[in-house]
Amino acid sequence: MTQQLAVNDLDIIRARDSALAVFGSLDTKRPTAWNQYGYRTTLSFDDFKQAYDRGGAAHGAVHRLLDGCWQMLPRIKQPKADKETAWETAVAQVLRSIRGWQKLRDLDRRNLVGRYAALIYRMADSQPLSAPLVSAQKLVDLIPVFEDQIKVTKWDEDKNSVRYGLPETFQYRARATGRLDTQGRPDTWEDVHHTRVQILAEGSVGDMFDGIPLLRAGFNNLIDIEKLSGGGAESALKNSARTIVFKYDPNASVAAISTTNPDGSISTKSVREVHEEQTRSLNRNQDASIVLQGGDATTLQTTAADLSPQFGIAANLFAASVRIPFTILFGQQTGRLASDEDKADFGARCASRQANDLTPMLEEFVRRMQACDVIAAGDFEIEWPPVNAPSDRDKLENLGKATAAMQQAFQAGLTEPLFDANELRAMVGFEPRADDGMPEEGDPEPEDPAADPDADPKGTGQAAS
């Protein structure tokens, strides 16, 4: 009997431990730590969307990365083509006619908020969205939608199909959720065939549900930032608001107070009612005053703690989670700009994302437009402008360093210059000249002015007499 009780007690302990574990924590000694800290154990798209809509740090992180990657539009070009070809012009016209670049950029914005986002093709092919996309006269529109605006309604269950286990049919919601003022806009779910839907799920290598939201890793730190900023603002408000403390002499009779009404009648109010009226009037009006008999009134003040260290920890952890340097994401209150190392690090982050996430997305879009005859077939490539392209000031500094290096090399005995004129012009973005100013084989040797007694040694324009 005792052994049976011991087994039952052990089962109860395990059940309690498993029940506590659902609250979440990285510290096994404190399995309910996240619950005590106010962190959510499971996160949904609504949580990420709310943080993006109402949180300055989350909103800033999404748009810092978005603006860094899309600060200049890429070029969809034919391989090894230096100048714009007719094919490239036609592709640009397809995108320009429907503001395609802005909508592709907005697809990326929505992808950063949730696990994935979708792009719906509206084509001029006389077919409903639920029909397969085969061929079309032109691309009519691109519709970027959030994660909660699209869902899978049918999967490919044919084990012999190359698309086995992939979505067959989607439904998308025309109106985004969370909008209060819709002005009567219809809210319907519409069936869409998978050939008319493009999914962008950053961090996933196939399954759209494996996408990694940008804000997920640092979501706990966003909660800390909200607590610190909100709690600090609340404490400052309570200190600035005049919370009155009334003190009365022990012998004072303050059970009730008689007041005269505007019509001359006498009314009796409790001390609490009178003091609440006086306090409300004092806080609403600058010229208000109070009258006491046998008592004293003071304001309640508390010492507000300096929350800068705690905020700095939370902000740095969040910046690390989104892989954006702190000085780039939050700036500096002291006026110090982001260092060159921070700029280079963030530039490398954006360039890597362009190559590994955005380029495949654009390649898929072009290939699918080629498949339905909207864009002519042919090889192509995506070329992004340099993220950390030097400014005009940087170019001039580089030119100065190059010419200084040329002078030092000449003084050291190097007979040939390090750079020709066109290479120097290229450093500042100037077009090359046909004559780069460099001597070529067969050119006559320059005459030595010292060998001609009639030469003008000082360059005055007059020959020596």
Side-chain angles (χ1 to χ4, degrees):
M1 184 65 176
T2 305
Q3 184 179 3
Q4 183 66 27
L5 289 175
V7 173
N8 292 339
D9 291 343
L10 183 59
D11 291 339
I12 293 174
I13 292 173
R14 289 175 177 172
R16 288 176 177 174
D17 289 342
S18 62
L20 293 175
V22 300
F23 291 107
S25 173
L26 301 181
D27 185 0
T28 57
K29 186 178 179 180
R30 299 172 180 85
T32 62
W34 282 11
N35 183 48
Q36 297 172 10
Y37 300 157
Y39 301 153
R40 295 178 174 88
T41 54
T42 57
L43 297 172
S44 65
F45 173 78
D46 292 337
D47 297 321
F48 301 128
K49 185 63 162 54
Q50 185 178 22
Y52 167 73
D53 288 338
R54 300 296 298 271
H59 190 90
V62 169
H63 282 272
R64 278 288 186 186
L65 189 57
L66 186 72
D67 294 342
C69 293
W70 292 89
Q71 58 181 331
M72 296 187 68
L73 295 178
R75 179 185 174 190
I76 304 175
K77 51 174 273 189
Q78 292 180 307
K80 300 180 181 180
D82 295 330
K83 296 183 179 180
E84 184 173 329
T85 63
W87 182 91
E88 183 178 343
T89 303
V91 173
Q93 179 60 33
V94 169
L95 291 171
R96 191 181 302 113
S97 63
I98 59 168
R99 300 182 61 197
W101 283 120
Q102 290 87 339
K103 293 173 182 179
L104 289 168
R105 183 180 185 272
D106 195 49
L107 169 68
D108 188 25
R109 176 181 71 91
R110 296 166 188 257
N111 154 74
L112 290 171
V113 177
R115 293 177 298 173
Y116 58 87
L119 190 68
I120 298 174
Y121 306 149
R122 284 197 174 274
M123 314 297 294
D125 62 345
S126 302
Q127 296 293 327
L129 289 176
S130 57
L133 175 59
V134 179
S135 179
Q137 288 77 33
K138 68 175 182 177
L139 175 64
V140 176
D141 197 7
L142 295 174
I143 305 174
V145 294
F146 280 111
E147 174 186 337
D148 65 340
Q149 290 180 263
I150 191 165
K151 61 183 180 181
V152 181
T153 57
K154 184 180 179 181
W155 299 85
D156 191 336
E157 299 178 356
D158 184 4
K159 294 185 178 180
N160 297 323
S161 172
V162 295
R163 288 185 48 82
Y164 172 70
L166 296 178
E168 185 69 21
T169 305
F170 294 88
Q171 275 191 342
Y172 98 94
R173 190 178 189 180
R175 190 179 74 195
T177 59
R179 293 182 180 176
L180 299 178
D181 184 14
T182 61
Q183 298 184 4
R185 181 179 179 179
D187 185 15
T188 58
W189 289 89
E190 190 169 356
D191 291 334
V192 187
H193 195 264
H194 71 86
T195 54
R196 301 175 187 267
V197 178
Q198 180 177 343
I199 300 293
L200 176 58
E202 188 170 345
S204 170
V205 292
D207 190 347
M208 57 188 282
F209 299 105
D210 288 339
I212 302 175
L214 177 68
L215 307 178
R216 185 172 66 186
F219 198 86
N220 290 355
N221 308 120
L222 290 175
I223 296 175
D224 291 340
I225 291 174
E226 182 176 335
K227 288 180 183 178
L228 293 167
S229 59
E234 184 69 15
S235 62
L237 175 63
K238 288 185 176 180
N239 270 346
S240 62
R242 290 174 286 187
T243 303
I244 309 300
V245 178
F246 297 96
K247 296 181 180 179
Y248 285 92
D249 186 86
N251 298 323
S253 178
V254 293
I257 298 178
S258 298
T259 59
T260 303
N261 296 325
D263 58 357
S265 60
I266 303 298
S267 64
T268 302
K269 297 182 179 179
S270 66
V271 175
R272 181 183 182 87
E273 292 173 343
V274 173
H275 286 336
E276 285 180 352
E277 293 177 359
Q278 291 177 334
T279 303
R280 191 178 300 111
S281 176
L282 191 65
N283 283 321
R284 288 184 176 180
N285 303 287
Q286 295 181 351
D287 299 330
S289 60
I290 58 176
V291 178
L292 294 175
Q293 183 176 357
D296 185 22
T298 58
T299 57
L300 181 63
Q301 294 288 324
T302 59
T303 302
D306 182 12
L307 302 178
S308 300
Q310 292 89 337
F311 180 85
I313 293 173
N316 275 285
L317 288 174
F318 176 70
S321 72
V322 295
R323 290 169 291 159
I324 301 177
F326 177 89
T327 52
I328 298 286
L329 181 57
F330 291 96
Q332 288 287 356
Q333 298 298 325
T334 58
R336 181 173 66 88
L337 299 177
S339 64
D340 293 338
E341 290 79 7
D342 288 342
K343 293 179 180 178
D345 180 72
F346 183 60
R349 162 90 158 97
C350 294
S352 174
R353 187 170 181 273
Q354 288 174 343
N356 297 299
D357 296 296
L358 300 182
T359 293
M361 179 267 287
L362 294 174
E363 289 175 344
E364 179 184 356
F365 171 75
V366 175
R367 285 195 299 268
R368 294 179 69 170
M369 292 299 103
Q370 288 178 328
C372 63
D373 302 327
V374 170
I375 293 177
D379 294 335
F380 65 92
E381 61 185 11
I382 309 297
E383 182 182 89
W384 292 89
V387 176
N388 284 333
S391 62
D392 292 341
R393 180 178 178 180
D394 295 334
K395 292 177 182 178
L396 292 175
E397 289 181 357
N398 293 336
L399 179 62
K401 293 177 181 179
T403 53
M406 291 177 63
Q407 183 179 8
Q408 293 175 1
F410 178 76
Q411 293 174 352
L414 186 67
T415 57
E416 295 183 359
L418 295 177
F419 310 100
D420 61 33
N422 282 335
E423 290 173 331
L424 294 176
R425 290 172 62 84
M427 291 184 182
V428 290
F430 291 171
E431 294 292 333
R433 289 177 174 173
D435 181 9
D436 60 3
M438 298 297 297
E440 297 181 357
E441 186 176 356
D443 290 346
E445 294 290 336
E447 297 181 358
D448 185 2
D452 186 1
D454 297 330
D456 182 8
K458 298 183 179 180
T460 59
Q462 298 179 356
S465 58

